[in-house]
Amino acid sequence: MEQRRYKPRRARGYLVGCVVAVLLWSVTSAQLRYSVSEEVNEGTVVGNIAKDLGLDKSTLKDRKYRIVSSTADPLFYLNQNDGVLYVSRTIDREEVCAQSNTCIIHLKTVIENPLEIHYVEVELLDINDHSPNFPEKEKRLEISESVLPGARFQLKASRDRDSSHFSVQQYKLSQNDHFRLEVKDKGDDGKIPILVIQKSLDRETAASHTLVLTALDGGKPPKSGEMNIQVNVLDINDNAPVFTKDVYSVMVDENTPVGTTVIQVNATDLDEGPNGEVVYSFSKSINQNLLNLFGINQLTGEIFVKGIIDYEERDKYEIEIEASDKGLAPLTTEKGVIIKIVDVNDNAPEIEVTSFSSSIPEDSRPGTTVALISVNDLDSGLNGKVICSVNEDAPFVLSPSLQDKMYSLVTKSLLDREKTSQYIVTVVAKDAGQPSLSSEKTISVLVSDVNDNSPEFSLSPYTFYVTEGNDPGASVFSVKAFDRDENDNALISYHILRDGREGNKLASFLNINSDNGHISALKSFDFETLKTFQFQVVATDSGTPSLSSNVTVNVFILDQNDNAPVILYPVSSNGSAEGVEEIPRNVNAGHLVTKVRAYDADIGYNGWLLFSLQEVTDHSLFALDRYTGQIRTLRSFTETDEAEHKLVILVKDNGNVSLSATATVIVKVVEPKEAFAASDVKSSAKDDEGNDVTLYLMITLGSVSVLFLVSIIVLIAMQCSKSTDYTSKYLQETNYDGTLCHSIQYRSGDKRYMLVGPRMSIGSTIVPGSHANTLVLPDRRRTSGEVSKYLNVLCMQISALCCAV
């Protein structure tokens, strides 16, 4: 019974459900769709639902038209008065729909009496209100410098909360040479930036790179976000060895000896240490036959012959060479080497000197043949065609002969043995084969001497000082000449020029050793006779023809104390130095009795005379002046004094070894009358003697006048010709009074000398040839004042000669 009750109830439930379903189907027959942008203001109209559904606006409120929503904060609200749908609050599409491309808000509106349900879809339109944003502001990458171009590094994508085209649309990478950017589109996951290496990194060039990655959305204008990328380049063995040549090719003759280096490959590695050390080897795939023919030096890269190479077997070999560094992970570079085998040109040219002169004179003209050279090559064709040449630094050239392969070695410029006495000429013969073979021949060419250089003296002119009294035949000085030639052309002989001229007469008293130039005097020089002279020495070589040169030798004679004083007064009739003087007895003290006069032919101190009493009968009566030789009375005579007195006077010079002479004066004391008588007798004698003296004086004055005129003419000639003269060597000294002698100082080298001669005025000078004891060498550059002084000197000389007479 309970089951029967249950079944009617179930049937009624099914019926009610079917009715409700039919009603609901009827009220949802219409659906509306609106769109509104996000972020619009509150109260913005979305749409007029009542109008669009055709509902009577007056009944909306009575029928309780509303939106059915389960949220406490609905996005929209419906105005029951007019059926208009409004935005109830600011809507953020990204909060509602996250990042979906289409954001649809489904609204269910209900109206009662009768019940009607209408579905309304509101699409939230996106606006560009968000900028792209990277997960991190800075990204650090460490990339090995060995990474090759094309390596890719994926970066984290930038996110934009906006949807569709307002999301991230593109990426940009800051400008650089080593990186580029690729973008991978993963659909709903967005666009992924990928960093791609487009140029190899080199830590030695740049240890780090700073990049800026920019993400842009699709807004107008677009919004962007940035991320800094710091790329650190890791240093590893990133430089593989690099061969210095693109192509290695070599030609090798067949039958090349084992061990011969064929070619040397060279590779460099920019790394340092083991990473930069290069070793060489053959490729592992090389044929075993090649390994039997060639070998390689692992350190130098030299490829050498290991076996017998036969052109007929194979004319070309290609070998792969590997260059590897010694890094932990070695890098290797391969390079092909092409070895071509050349046939037959295996004979080098032969050089033969068929005729050769052992030496050639240095005065040979350009074009003189030195040697005849023939060359020969056993090869044929181009391999047997020979080209000859000589080194360019030698003054020789090869001249082709009319006969093939014959050459003449000739001079191309003048030779000078004094500069180069021997030439080593290298003749190079080279054939035209490939590769070319060559040979050399060395020829030694001696340049023979020609007498083209005159002897040269080491000094010009020579000046010598010779002390008088030299030993005849002894060497007094020497000259020396040299000649740049050799052998007989440099063998020098000397001789003195004897031309018989007036100034060269003394050359006859000189002798010269023809071998060594030592000059000896055949006589002893006397300063008092000759003070200076000049001659010429000629040096002649032994060449053919001989060459010679001469040099002037100036000789100055130095004085020695070789002359004893000569007593001029008193001198008796028999020539002895003895005289008698008579004086009255009544003379007073200081009376001049007489004056001893003496002369020394030497000069300087050697001719400076001093007087002294060597013997006197009464020292109280007479006194002798040491310098003047004057004898004077010291007191008046008395009755007791003897009537005759003898005085012996010693006259000596001041030489190192003093020479002297003595004079005797007999003084007779007479009464005054006898003295007057004696005086008259002497006066008459002197008058007779005076006549003779007058004659002599006239002759002397005439000679001096002639000498004066000759001196003037010579002086003018010297001024015009500007010939070489010598300045005076003598220094004058004040003459002392009271004697026929005076002193003149002079220098010779480091010594000073004094001349004692006939009395002259202070400053007087005696010219050469006057037989006085001094020497003046007048300067050719005399001023007018000096010429006047020279004339005055001549006048003084005349006066001096007159006084001496």
Side-chain angles (χ1 to χ4, degrees):
M1 186 176 185
E2 291 180 358
Q3 291 179 352
R4 286 196 294 269
R5 289 178 182 175
Y6 177 71
K7 288 181 179 178
R9 291 178 182 174
R10 180 182 292 179
R12 288 195 296 269
Y14 285 143
L15 180 62
V16 173
C18 291
V19 172
V20 172
V22 172
L23 292 174
L24 291 174
W25 177 261
S26 63
V27 298
T28 58
S29 60
Q31 185 175 353
L32 298 178
R33 185 182 181 94
Y34 299 100
S35 63
V36 65
S37 298
E38 65 173 331
E39 303 291 341
V40 296
N41 295 329
E42 181 181 348
T44 300
V45 176
V46 178
N48 193 332
I49 298 176
K51 180 180 179 181
D52 294 336
L53 291 177
L55 299 176
D56 187 2
K57 294 182 180 181
S58 61
T59 63
L60 293 178
K61 187 174 184 180
D62 295 337
R63 296 179 65 182
K64 297 181 182 179
Y65 186 46
R66 66 187 182 278
I67 296 174
V68 180
S69 176
S70 61
T71 61
D73 188 13
L75 299 177
F76 305 96
Y77 73 91
L78 185 61
N79 190 334
Q80 294 181 349
N81 294 325
D82 53 11
V84 177
L85 184 65
Y86 295 93
V87 176
S88 63
R89 64 180 177 85
T90 302
I91 303 172
D92 187 356
R93 180 185 180 277
E94 286 69 38
E95 291 182 0
V96 176
C97 298
Q99 287 188 335
S100 61
N101 290 332
T102 303
C103 183
I104 304 296
I105 305 299
H106 298 278
L107 300 178
K108 184 169 63 175
T109 61
V110 178
I111 188 172
E112 298 178 359
N113 300 322
L115 180 62
E116 294 181 14
I117 299 176
H118 298 280
Y119 292 96
V120 178
E121 293 180 357
V122 179
E123 181 182 0
L124 289 179
L125 301 178
D126 191 21
I127 64 172
N128 192 20
D129 57 344
H130 292 88
S131 298
N133 185 29
F134 285 95
E136 51 189 1
K137 293 297 183 183
E138 184 172 346
K139 175 68 175 177
R140 290 185 177 271
L141 295 177
E142 291 187 346
I143 303 176
S144 173
E145 61 177 339
S146 63
V147 175
L148 298 178
R152 301 159 64 89
F153 298 89
Q154 183 171 317
L155 305 175
K156 290 184 179 181
S158 175
R159 298 301 179 185
D160 194 325
R161 297 180 62 189
D162 296 324
S163 63
S164 185
H165 65 280
F166 290 129
S167 64
V168 176
Q169 297 297 313
Q170 61 177 333
Y171 292 93
K172 290 184 178 179
L173 188 65
S174 58
Q175 181 66 32
N176 68 94
D177 296 332
H178 292 84
F179 299 93
R180 63 183 176 87
L181 187 67
E182 288 185 1
V183 179
K184 184 177 182 181
D185 193 349
K186 289 192 175 183
D188 294 339
D189 292 335
K191 293 179 172 60
I192 307 301
I194 300 175
L195 193 64
V196 181
I197 296 179
Q198 66 176 1
K199 183 179 179 182
S200 298
L201 302 178
D202 188 357
R203 184 182 181 276
E204 288 73 25
T205 303
S208 64
H209 301 271
T210 301
L211 308 174
V212 178
L213 178 61
T214 304
L216 301 172
D217 60 20
K220 293 184 179 180
K223 293 187 177 181
S224 63
E226 293 182 349
M227 178 176 67
N228 293 326
I229 303 175
Q230 185 72 25
V231 179
N232 294 326
V233 182
L234 300 180
D235 186 22
I236 62 169
N237 187 18
D238 58 338
N239 290 290
V242 177
F243 285 92
T244 56
K245 292 183 179 180
D246 294 334
V247 177
Y248 286 94
S249 179
V250 66
M251 302 179 73
V252 180
D253 291 339
E254 63 174 334
N255 302 323
T256 298
V258 174
T260 301
T261 299
V262 175
I263 192 173
Q264 182 177 11
V265 296
N266 186 25
T268 58
D269 195 318
L270 296 179
D271 296 323
E272 295 182 351
N275 294 335
E277 296 180 10
V278 180
V279 292
Y280 304 90
S281 63
F282 289 129
S283 174
K284 296 178 179 57
S285 61
I286 191 172
N287 192 297
Q288 183 62 37
N289 292 333
L290 291 178
L291 294 178
N292 295 331
L293 292 176
F294 301 99
I296 187 169
N297 189 317
Q298 294 185 351
L299 299 179
T300 63
E302 293 180 345
I303 300 175
F304 55 89
V305 177
K306 191 176 179 181
I308 303 300
I309 301 174
D310 188 1
Y311 174 82
E312 288 71 26
E313 182 178 339
R314 189 171 177 180
D315 63 353
K316 181 179 179 182
Y317 296 93
E318 294 186 7
I319 305 175
E320 291 293 328
I321 306 298
E322 291 183 351
S324 303
D325 57 31
K326 295 182 179 181
L328 295 177
L331 298 178
T332 302
T333 303
E334 292 187 354
K335 179 67 67 174
V337 177
I338 300 175
I339 301 177
K340 296 179 181 179
I341 309 303
V342 180
D343 193 24
V344 293
N345 188 24
D346 53 354
N347 293 287
E350 296 178 356
I351 303 173
E352 181 182 358
V353 180
T354 59
S355 176
F356 176 65
S357 300
S358 60
S359 63
I360 180 171
E362 62 177 323
D363 61 348
S364 300
R365 295 181 178 181
T368 302
T369 300
V370 178
L372 296 178
I373 299 171
S374 63
V375 294
N376 186 34
D377 196 318
L378 298 178
D379 299 323
S380 60
L382 290 177
N383 295 331
K385 186 174 180 61
V386 181
I387 300 174
C388 290
S389 62
V390 295
N391 47 322
E392 296 181 356
D393 56 344
F396 301 97
V397 67
L398 284 177
S399 176
S401 177
L402 295 177
Q403 187 177 355
D404 189 26
K405 298 183 180 180
M406 290 289 293
Y407 298 88
S408 298
L409 182 65
V410 299
T411 59
K412 67 177 180 180
S413 61
L414 294 175
L415 306 178
D416 188 354
R417 188 207 64 84
E418 285 69 36
K419 292 183 178 179
T420 305
S421 60
Q422 182 180 12
Y423 292 94
I424 304 299
V425 182
T426 302
V427 180
V428 179
K430 186 176 182 181
D431 62 27
Q434 293 295 330
S436 177
L437 299 178
S438 63
S439 58
E440 295 182 356
K441 188 79 172 181
T442 300
I443 301 174
S444 177
V445 179
L446 297 177
V447 181
S448 61
D449 188 36
V450 174
N451 192 24
D452 56 349
N453 290 282
S454 300
E456 298 178 12
F457 285 93
S458 56
L459 292 175
S460 181
Y462 280 94
T463 300
F464 296 106
Y465 296 90
V466 180
T467 303
E468 66 172 333
N470 56 294
D471 295 332
S475 176
V476 288
F477 41 78
S478 65
V479 296
K480 186 66 176 178
F482 62 93
D483 196 316
R484 297 197 305 173
D485 296 321
E486 65 176 1
N487 299 330
D488 290 343
N489 295 332
L491 186 61
I492 299 175
S493 61
Y494 304 88
H495 70 274
I496 297 175
L497 183 64
R498 310 178 193 273
D499 55 3
R501 291 183 299 177
E502 184 68 24
N504 202 24
K505 290 182 178 180
L506 287 176
S508 59
F509 296 100
L510 299 175
N511 187 30
I512 187 170
N513 189 317
S514 61
D515 296 328
N516 54 29
H518 291 179
I519 299 174
S520 57
L522 301 180
K523 74 169 188 175
S524 179
F525 294 114
D526 185 6
F527 176 83
E528 289 70 33
T529 304
L530 178 68
K531 296 176 177 56
T532 182
F533 63 93
Q534 184 182 87
F535 64 96
Q536 288 188 329
V537 175
V538 180
T540 305
D541 59 30
S542 301
T544 304
S546 63
L547 299 177
S548 63
S549 61
N550 55 5
V551 67
T552 300
V553 180
N554 298 306
V555 182
F556 294 91
I557 309 301
L558 302 180
D559 184 38
Q560 275 193 330
N561 191 23
D562 57 345
N563 290 282
V566 177
I567 304 298
L568 299 179
Y569 182 83
V571 177
S572 61
S573 59
N574 59 4
S576 63
E578 183 176 351
V580 178
E581 294 289 339
E582 293 182 353
I583 61 173
R585 183 179 292 272
N586 60 351
V587 296
N588 297 324
H591 176 75
L592 176 64
V593 178
T594 187
K595 182 177 181 178
V596 179
R597 294 176 175 84
Y599 170 76
D600 196 317
D602 297 321
I603 67 169
Y605 290 100
N606 295 330
W608 193 347
L609 301 182
L610 297 176
F611 301 85
S612 63
L613 283 173
Q614 188 176 18
E615 182 181 342
V616 62
T617 55
D618 190 347
H619 288 282
S620 64
L621 274 176
F622 302 99
L624 176 65
D625 189 287
R626 177 178 177 83
Y627 300 104
T628 64
Q630 292 180 351
I631 301 175
R632 293 180 181 273
T633 59
L634 293 175
R635 60 180 175 83
S636 300
F637 288 95
T638 63
E639 296 295 334
T640 60
D641 290 329
E642 295 181 3
E644 183 175 317
H645 298 273
K646 181 179 180 182
L647 285 75
V648 178
I649 293 90
L650 177 65
V651 182
K652 65 178 181 178
D653 57 30
N654 279 279
N656 290 332
V657 179
S658 180
L659 301 178
S660 62
T662 58
T664 303
V665 177
I666 304 298
V667 180
K668 293 182 178 182
V669 181
V670 299
E671 296 301 326
K673 292 182 179 180
E674 295 177 1
F676 293 150
S679 173
D680 292 338
V681 173
K682 289 183 180 180
S683 298
S684 61
K686 287 182 179 180
D687 289 338
D688 295 337
E689 182 182 359
N691 294 329
D692 297 333
V693 170
T694 301
L695 177 61
Y696 295 147
L697 180 59
M698 293 178 63
I699 296 173
T700 302
L701 288 176
S703 301
V704 170
S705 298
V706 172
L707 177 63
F708 176 75
L709 293 176
V710 171
S711 299
I712 293 297
I713 295 172
V714 171
L715 178 60
I716 294 174
M718 290 169 60
Q719 288 295 106
C720 295
S721 63
K722 300 293 183 179
S723 60
T724 304
D725 289 320
Y726 303 90
T727 56
S728 176
K729 295 178 55 182
Y730 301 99
L731 303 176
Q732 301 169 2
E733 185 180 21
T734 305
N735 183 31
Y736 60 88
D737 188 28
T739 181
L740 291 177
C741 299
H742 76 292
S743 64
I744 298 177
Q745 293 185 11
Y746 81 102
R747 283 194 181 94
S748 175
D750 296 333
K751 296 181 180 181
R752 294 172 58 91
Y753 297 92
M754 178 179 290
L755 166 69
V756 177
R759 184 179 65 180
M760 294 183 181
S761 301
I762 296 175
S764 62
T765 305
I766 301 177
V767 298
S770 64
H771 303 291
N773 296 329
T774 186
L775 172 64
V776 176
L777 300 177
D779 190 355
R780 64 185 181 89
R781 298 181 297 273
R782 296 179 187 272
T783 61
S784 59
E786 291 174 336
V787 174
S788 300
K789 181 179 179 181
Y790 186 71
L791 297 178
N792 292 334
V793 168
L794 293 177
C795 295
M796 293 177 183
Q797 178 187 0
I798 296 172
S799 300
L801 291 176
C802 293
C803 294
V805 174

